[in-house]
Amino acid sequence: MSKLFEPITLGNLTLENRIVIAPMCQYSSDEGKATAWHHAHLGQLSFSGAGLLILEATAVEAAGRISAEDLGLWDDATEAAMKDLITGLRENSNMPLGLQLGHAGRKASCAAPWKGGAQIAQSAGGWQTIAPSAVAFAQGTEAPEAMSLARIDELKKAYVDTVRRADRLGFDLLELHGAHGYLLHQFLSPLSNQRTDQYGGSLENRMRLLLEIFQEIRTEFPAAKPIGVRISATDWVEGGWDLEQSIELAKALDELGCSYIHVSSGGLSPHQKIAVGPNYQVPFADGIKRYVRMPVIAVGLITEPEQAEAIIGTGQADMIALARGILYNPRWPWHAAAKLGAKVSAPKQYWRSEPHGLKGLFLPE
Ligand SMILES: Cc1cc2nc3c(=O)[nH]c(=O)nc-3n(C[C@H](O)[C@H](O)[C@H](O)COP(=O)(O)O)c2cc1C
């Protein structure tokens, strides 16, 4: 029996299998509003048979967008566009839908990757970024504005407001983005957080904002619906955020009733030295899993069904997430089910594609 295809329950949500579609920015929104691209892109992924689809980092306020084309959920117009999107997806698929709540902090105001991804200066149409401290991400980029306590309050309100909208839209799950060098990660890491108030200095102080926001949104979202957190387990820089601190954060989140932790790495510093290869982040997931009750998601160059099966089977993680691999092969879960002798959901319109000799691959509706 495949472990990868064993269901798992998060709060009131049961996932059909342990394959998660990782959040992936599409840089294809119009003033924060979802477009036809999102309908097509997420539509095809919702036919993939994965257990959960997490929508891309969605900005809780306009200043939190990585690029001007990022998805947002901060006003009635962005909510209406998201409603059209969700309604369309739900018409054709039962796949649970999660939303990743994002704020890019000092890594906002950038060009889309295919336009080079560089920061756009305010004089060239960009905007003032914010961060825990006025420390630029890289040489040659504009320094962010250090957030006042009043601005921190405003930010918390933005998260809560977005969560209210996400609940109204019927999202099944939320993921707080605390990874990849974006705003909440900037508060965690001593490399970007040089504050001397209650939000900087000690580990407890650096973790404070993320934990406060988690608690506030946990109160706002129905108790039975899962909220997880994505983190970077290390900055891959000497003196930065690391696995040891990540374990402390994970333990604190576990205590607060966090539904899962999604373990990525890097993104905070241009000086990071990452040893990239298959499973390169799995040891971090495994390292955290020893200390928490909540399920753990491993991600990063997991590309083969047997590889995913081994990660779950050996208990290194409870779920695996796929990003590039599922863009490359949007029927990855079908192929994995076929290889691992499991069953998978598919739209009834596609049932006739069941390969000869594999009758019974697709689950009935
Ligand atoms: C096109 C693209 C967009 C991404 N956008 C996000 C995002 O919005 N939020 C996030 O946490 N990670 C994002 N990531 C990182 C992925 O979720 C994932 O962690 C990373 O690509 C490693 O997994 P992989 O080896 O399966 O691609 C993105 C990755 C890609 C390729």
Side-chain angles (χ1 to χ4, degrees):
M1 282 297 283
S2 163
K3 294 280 185 204
L4 183 63
F5 282 88
E6 220 170 68
I8 183 166
T9 299
L10 309 169
N12 67 351
L13 184 66
T14 297
L15 311 185
E16 199 171 282
N17 56 54
R18 280 119 188 284
I19 304 165
V20 174
I21 302 179
M24 280 182 273
C25 282
Q26 297 297 296
Y27 312 98
S28 299
S29 310
D30 168 22
E31 304 285 337
K33 299 188 291 290
T35 63
W37 173 257
H38 293 94
H39 290 253
H41 161 68
L42 295 166
Q44 51 118 14
L45 289 177
S46 75
F47 302 152
S48 69
L52 172 67
L53 171 54
I54 305 180
L55 270 64
E56 67 190 85
T58 298
V60 298
E61 59 176 25
R65 291 171 296 172
I66 301 168
S67 78
E69 297 83 24
D70 279 25
L71 193 58
L73 184 56
W74 62 68
D75 63 4
D76 291 348
T78 49
E79 184 178 334
M82 191 74 96
K83 186 169 186 179
D84 278 354
L85 172 64
I86 301 308
T87 307
L89 295 173
R90 299 274 197 217
E91 259 174 41
N92 296 311
S93 163
N94 297 324
M95 187 177 289
L97 300 175
L99 184 73
Q100 191 186 45
L101 305 170
H103 194 301
R106 69 178 184 175
K107 285 174 72 177
S109 187
C110 290
W114 52 83
K115 293 180 191 160
Q119 191 193 57
I120 299 174
Q122 290 178 69
S123 57
W127 61 88
Q128 174 66 58
T129 63
I130 56 168
S133 308
V135 181
F137 171 68
Q139 263 193 344
T141 61
E142 286 180 354
E145 193 174 277
M147 292 172 77
S148 64
L149 291 179
R151 187 68 179 87
I152 287 179
D153 268 352
E154 214 178 287
L155 176 78
K156 288 185 192 167
K157 289 200 181 85
Y159 273 95
V160 169
D161 178 60
T162 298
V163 167
R164 207 168 284 148
R165 293 177 188 279
D167 180 35
R168 213 155 43 212
L169 290 167
F171 275 102
D172 301 298
L173 168 151
L174 297 177
E175 179 171 284
L176 189 59
H177 196 350
H180 301 161
Y182 297 116
L183 186 57
L184 297 180
H185 184 180
Q186 290 159 27
F187 271 85
L188 294 175
S189 175
L191 301 176
S192 43
N193 183 344
Q194 296 174 2
R195 299 176 75 95
T196 52
D197 64 0
Q198 67 270 37
Y199 290 103
S202 66
L203 174 61
E204 189 188 353
N205 283 356
R206 283 180 279 117
M207 297 194 318
R208 188 179 310 281
L209 182 62
L210 189 151
L211 295 177
E212 283 180 354
I213 289 176
F214 178 81
Q215 283 171 283
E216 289 205 17
I217 65 173
R218 191 53 287 181
T219 314
E220 195 62 39
F221 204 51
K225 287 193 182 185
I227 304 183
V229 176
R230 193 173 221 208
I231 64 162
S232 281
T234 174
D235 289 341
W236 298 101
V237 179
E238 197 66 35
W241 182 256
D242 57 16
L243 179 60
E244 208 179 309
Q245 297 170 80
S246 296
I247 289 169
E248 292 311 310
L249 176 64
K251 289 200 293 202
L253 285 167
D254 210 25
E255 283 303 308
L256 293 174
C258 187
S259 308
Y260 69 85
I261 188 149
H262 194 164
V263 184
S264 187
S265 75
L268 188 100
S269 164
H271 305 298
Q272 64 186 16
K273 295 218 163 36
I274 309 186
V276 178
N279 283 9
Y280 72 107
Q281 296 175 148
V282 174
F284 300 128
D286 186 31
I288 288 172
K289 190 167 160 53
R290 293 156 201 263
Y291 294 91
V292 293
R293 294 177 302 261
M294 63 182 158
V296 175
I297 307 182
V299 66
L301 280 183
I302 299 167
T303 54
E304 306 307 316
E306 296 83 354
Q307 179 190 6
E309 179 68 25
I311 293 166
I312 307 296
T314 57
Q316 291 172 291
D318 302 284
M319 295 171 269
I320 58 98
L322 306 171
R324 290 163 293 183
I326 203 154
L327 291 184
Y328 187 71
N329 175 6
R331 305 275 187 270
W332 193 99
W334 296 13
H335 296 283
K339 267 205 169 157
L340 301 171
K343 292 182 190 300
V344 68
S345 283
K348 55 186 173 303
Q349 292 90 336
Y350 290 177
W351 282 351
R352 285 170 70 185
S353 70
E354 204 172 43
H356 206 69
L358 270 176
K359 291 294 170 210
L361 175 64
F362 296 140
L363 288 163
E365 253 188 334

